[in-house]
Amino acid sequence: ENLLLDAQRNANTITLSLWDFGGQQVFYAMHHIFLTQSGFYVLVFDMREVLERSNKDEAFKYLLFWLRSVKLHAPSASLILTGTFLADVGERENVTTINTILRELVKGSFSQIVP
């Protein structure tokens, strides 16, 4: 049983490649190689930082950097924002606040974001 040959014969297979940029600046110069029109992008962020006054500006800077990078290199590719640490954010009101903040941050500039 050769699984690779079986998969190659199956016309219904899909190849998926996942790349985690992790946010390190050392890789910024390589974005143009990996960010392509055929990609689907997931921007993961810490929801706690969007709510915390001390980290808010840094969180926005980080989000905008990645949003602009995807828009520059893959302007028509789809992108989804994914917040982490939901359990630490707590109340639904905080999630609503984060949603409002993010909508204001991206308003009119990033049409590739999947609602």
Side-chain angles (χ1 to χ4, degrees), residues 21-35 58 61-66 69 72-73:
F21 286 101
Q24 293 91 353
Q25 289 183 349
V26 70
F27 297 115
Y28 287 0
M30 297 175 56
H31 287 177
H32 69 282
I33 297 169
F34 296 100
L35 298 177
E58 195 63 30
K61 184 177 164 184
Y62 171 83
L63 285 167
L64 285 172
F65 169 81
W66 284 103
S69 188
L72 174 68
H73 298 293

Side-chain angles (χ1 to χ4, degrees), residues 18 21 34 45-46 51 53 57 68 75 95 99 113:
L18 297 174
F21 286 101
F34 296 100
F45 66 97
D46 185 335
L51 291 175
R53 290 186 190 272
D57 289 340
R68 289 174 180 149
V95 174
N99 187 50
I113 295 176

Side-chain angles (χ1 to χ4, degrees), residues 2 10 23 28 33 38 42 52 58 64 87 96 102 113:
N2 190 330
N10 186 348
Y28 287 0
I33 297 169
S38 61
V42 179
E52 294 174 9
E58 195 63 30
L64 285 172
T96 301
L102 292 176
I113 295 176

Side-chain angles (χ1 to χ4, degrees), residues 37-86:
Q37 292 297 98
S38 61
F40 179 87
Y41 300 93
V42 179
L43 176 51
V44 180
F45 66 97
D46 185 335
M47 291 193 296
R48 299 171 302 182
E49 293 178 0
V50 173
L51 291 175
E52 294 174 9
R53 290 186 190 272
S54 62
N55 291 333
K56 192 180 281 191
D57 289 340
E58 195 63 30
F60 291 163
K61 184 177 164 184
Y62 171 83
L63 285 167
L64 285 172
F65 169 81
W66 284 103
L67 288 167
R68 289 174 180 149
S69 188
V70 171
K71 184 176 182 176
L72 174 68
H73 298 293
S76 62
S78 296
L79 181 139
I80 188 166
L81 295 171
T82 304
T84 60
F85 296 100
L86 177 62

Side-chain angles (χ1 to χ4, degrees), residues 1-15:
E1 295 182 20
N2 190 330
L3 294 178
L4 180 59
L5 287 177
D6 290 343
Q8 289 173 341
R9 285 187 206 118
N10 186 348
N12 295 322
T13 61
I14 296 174
T15 301

